[in-house]
Amino acid sequence: MYKELIISIIIVALIFGLNYVTQKNTDITVETVTEKLNTVKNSALEEVPNKDKVASDINIAYDKWEELDDIMAYYIEHDELEKVKTALTSAKSYIEVEEYKESIEAIDNCIYILDHIHEREMFTLDNIL
C-alpha cells in the first residue's frame, strides 16, 4: 500500500517538475525570439531602412530560432514549430528582395504563432480540460 503511494507521489512530482522546466524553456525561447523579431520589425519600419542592418537582424533572429528550436522539438508538436520556421523563412526572403511591408506581415505572423505556442503550452486549467 505504501509502496504504491510513494511511487504515485514521485510520478506526480516528476510530471510537475518536468512541466516547470519545459514551461520555463518555452517562456525564454518565445521571449528571446520575439525580442529579436521586434528588432527586425523596427529596423524595417524605418523611413529609409538600412538593408544591411535589416538583413543582419533577420539572420540573427533566424539563427537564434534554429538554436532554440532543437530543444523545443522534444516536447512541442513539430507542426507548430514548422509554422514558425516557415514565417521566419518568408520574412527572410522578403527582406532579401527588399519587400519590407511583406516582411513585416510575416514577422507579425511569426510573433502571433510564437504567442500561440506559449499560451498553448502553459499549465492552466483551460489547457488541462
Side-chain angles (χ1 to χ4, degrees):
M1 172 74 177
Y2 292 115
K3 186 164 71 170
E4 292 87 5
L5 181 63
I6 292 173
I7 291 172
S8 298
I9 291 172
I10 290 172
I11 290 173
V12 169
L14 279 172
I15 289 171
F16 282 110
L18 289 174
N19 184 53
Y20 178 78
V21 170
T22 58
Q23 183 62 44
K24 282 298 179 189
N25 184 54
T26 303
D27 291 345
I28 291 169
T29 300
V30 168
E31 182 180 325
T32 303
V33 175
T34 301
E35 180 181 305
K36 302 286 184 197
L37 288 173
N38 282 326
T39 302
V40 175
K41 185 176 175 182
N42 291 335
S43 296
L45 282 173
E46 291 178 358
E47 206 164 301
V48 180
N50 182 347
K51 180 182 177 184
D52 295 332
K53 183 176 183 330
V54 176
S56 171
D57 289 344
I58 194 65
N59 286 330
I60 290 170
Y62 188 85
D63 292 342
K64 193 60 159 173
W65 173 253
E66 286 291 314
E67 174 188 326
L68 298 173
D69 171 49
D70 294 336
I71 297 169
M72 291 179 68
Y74 288 119
Y75 61 93
I76 293 181
E77 290 181 29
H78 295 283
D79 183 47
E80 298 291 328
L81 300 177
E82 285 298 318
K83 289 177 186 176
V84 174
K85 188 168 185 174
T86 301
L88 271 172
T89 304
S90 296
K92 190 174 179 181
S93 299
Y94 285 129
I95 287 172
E96 287 174 358
V97 295
E98 297 182 34
E99 294 291 336
Y100 297 115
K101 287 185 181 182
E102 286 83 2
S103 71
I104 291 170
E105 289 177 19
I107 290 169
D108 287 339
N109 183 34
C110 188
I111 291 172
Y112 174 78
I113 295 167
L114 285 168
D115 287 339
H116 171 72
I117 290 172
H118 181 257
E119 288 176 14
R120 186 172 178 206
E121 295 300 317
M122 288 178 65
F123 190 67
T124 61
L125 192 57
D126 289 339
N127 288 343
I128 294 171
L129 301 175

